[in-house]
Amino acid sequence: MSATKLTALVKAGGCASKLSPAILDQILPRMPRVADPDLLVGFDTADDAGVYRLTPSLAIVQTVDFFTPMVDDPFTFGAIAAANALSDVYAMGGTPLTALSVLAWPSGHDIADLEQILKGGASKIHEAGAVILGGHSVNDPEIKFGYAVTGTIHPDRIKTNAAARPGDRLLFTKRIGTGVISTAIKRGLASQAHIDGAIRSMLMLNRAAAEAMGDLEIHSVTDVTGFGLLGHAREMAMGSGVTLEIDSSRVRFLDGAMEYAAAGAIPGGLNNNREFVGSCVESAGPVEQLLFDPQTSGGLLISIAEADAALYMQKYPEAYEIGRVVTRGIKPLRIL
């Protein structure tokens, strides 16, 4: 454990440190597009990673993800940052191959912590069967770390966030609440048991969840990270031209998350997400605020044919059903 609390050195931790989706939503539509028949997935639907075809049977999956510390132990922070970056490749159905580290580091801080961050990241990259090629670093007052990851996939097996179909069931593979618990850590409110539970969740690779998809009829996938469950569900609904109907009573939360939210440990990213996504939500009553909680190394949201939903949950018991896909209604999201 570092003598310095890493979370005390940053304004917001993990994916809660990301820019508000409202800012990106204003800028990205104005970015120039380049027509290329081999660009299979770009940034038009805010998907988890880009996919570019090299041959009729081989495409590369590319993504980059980095953020500030959400835990105080440097080795653990590095490992979580790696798991989070790898997740985008798994969400596309790909296999991670190589990684490049992205590092911002305050020049006066203890380099022993830096060594542990890099070792933690390397341990998780290697667990995924990928290799680190190198990286890039800059001097910065706030610590930031992550990876640019390249993977491979067959062009016919790509999973996107824009192909959900009415009648599909919605499955989710992790619990919600890492943003609130990270904020509670920063404020000194979190118990060690709750910290340990959140860390176990964030360290869990989405590899097994992705491998369980196999040949099942899965239409759409996204990993739930900084924009929260409802933010990423909105992207799936908008890209697919459908409404996602989510039963909030079926969403599972990390132990302690509800308690810390009630105590006011609300990350700024949660408020940003609620402000941006709230107008897209149809609900008969108040929406549980943790559905907007920015997740770090969160689970996969899967839109799967009804006939295969139970089979997937048998193959991957961590998964559970949270709703269904229906034809586009008044708004892209409906909370029951």
Side-chain angles (χ1 to χ4, degrees):
M1 176 71 71
S2 170
T4 303
K5 286 173 63 73
L6 296 185
T7 56
L9 303 177
V10 298
K11 295 185 290 293
C15 284
S17 65
K18 291 185 176 182
L19 279 177
S20 166
I23 295 175
L24 298 176
D25 194 59
Q26 292 179 54
I27 296 172
L28 291 181
R30 298 201 291 266
M31 292 299 100
R33 268 64 168 174
V34 175
D36 188 327
D38 290 316
L39 178 61
L40 304 181
V41 180
F43 58 84
D44 291 357
T45 57
D47 219 323
D48 300 298
V51 183
Y52 192 85
R53 179 170 50 210
L54 299 179
T55 72
S57 60
L58 179 65
I60 56 171
V61 184
Q62 290 190 294
T63 185
V64 60
D65 215 318
F66 67 103
F67 45 49
T68 55
M70 78 302 296
V71 294
D72 290 317
D73 179 63
F75 186 94
T76 303
F77 166 52
I80 291 171
N84 185 76
L86 290 160
S87 184
D88 288 339
V89 176
Y90 292 129
M92 305 301 293
T95 300
L97 189 63
T98 63
L100 294 165
S101 60
V102 180
L103 171 69
W105 187 257
S107 59
H109 193 70
D110 188 353
I111 62 170
D113 284 348
L114 174 57
E115 179 180 346
Q116 289 302 305
I117 289 171
L118 295 176
K119 285 182 175 179
S123 72
K124 196 58 65 170
I125 295 292
H126 297 158
E127 179 184 333
V131 296
I132 299 171
L133 303 182
H136 185 71
S137 61
V138 296
N139 185 0
D140 191 294
E142 274 201 339
I143 298 170
K144 303 175 185 71
F145 181 64
Y147 290 93
V149 182
T150 298
T152 57
I153 193 170
H154 191 289
D156 296 337
R157 299 184 65 85
I158 299 168
K159 302 292 190 294
T160 75
N161 70 348
R165 302 179 187 177
D168 283 357
R169 297 296 175 177
L170 293 173
L171 308 182
F172 193 54
T173 64
K174 288 190 181 183
R175 293 174 179 257
I176 295 291
T178 61
V180 164
I181 292 177
S182 295
T183 302
I185 293 172
K186 185 173 175 61
R187 297 185 183 179
L189 302 175
S191 73
Q192 192 59 51
H194 295 156
I195 294 171
D196 291 345
I199 286 174
R200 281 194 298 272
S201 177
M202 292 186 285
L203 285 175
M204 184 186 301
L205 291 177
N206 280 323
R207 177 173 60 183
E211 290 174 347
M213 293 189 288
D215 293 323
L216 300 180
E217 190 179 345
I218 290 174
H219 299 138
S220 200
V221 181
T222 189
D223 72 329
V224 173
T225 53
F227 298 155
L229 175 61
L230 294 190
H232 290 281
R234 170 194 173 274
E235 291 174 342
M236 182 180 286
M238 297 288 286
S240 305
V242 297
T243 288
L244 301 194
E245 196 172 77
I246 295 174
D247 185 345
S248 60
S249 69
R250 304 185 74 171
V251 178
R252 301 175 185 175
F253 301 102
L254 289 166
D255 290 344
M258 299 287 283
E259 172 188 336
Y260 299 132
I266 303 299
L270 186 154
N271 293 324
N272 290 338
N273 292 340
R274 179 167 49 197
E275 181 179 343
F276 178 66
V277 182
S279 63
C280 300
V281 177
E282 175 189 351
S283 177
V287 177
E288 168 54 53
Q289 62 182 342
L290 284 179
L291 300 183
F292 299 101
D293 189 42
Q295 300 306 285
T296 298
S297 188
L300 299 183
L301 176 62
I302 300 171
S303 179
I304 183 172
E306 182 176 13
D308 282 349
L311 182 56
Y312 180 85
M313 289 186 283
Q314 289 174 10
K315 295 176 67 176
Y316 193 70
E318 296 288 333
Y320 57 99
E321 187 173 334
I322 64 169
R324 61 178 184 153
V325 182
V326 298
T327 56
R328 174 56 65 86
I330 299 172
K331 296 185 177 182
L333 299 177
R334 182 180 302 138
I335 308 301
L336 304 179

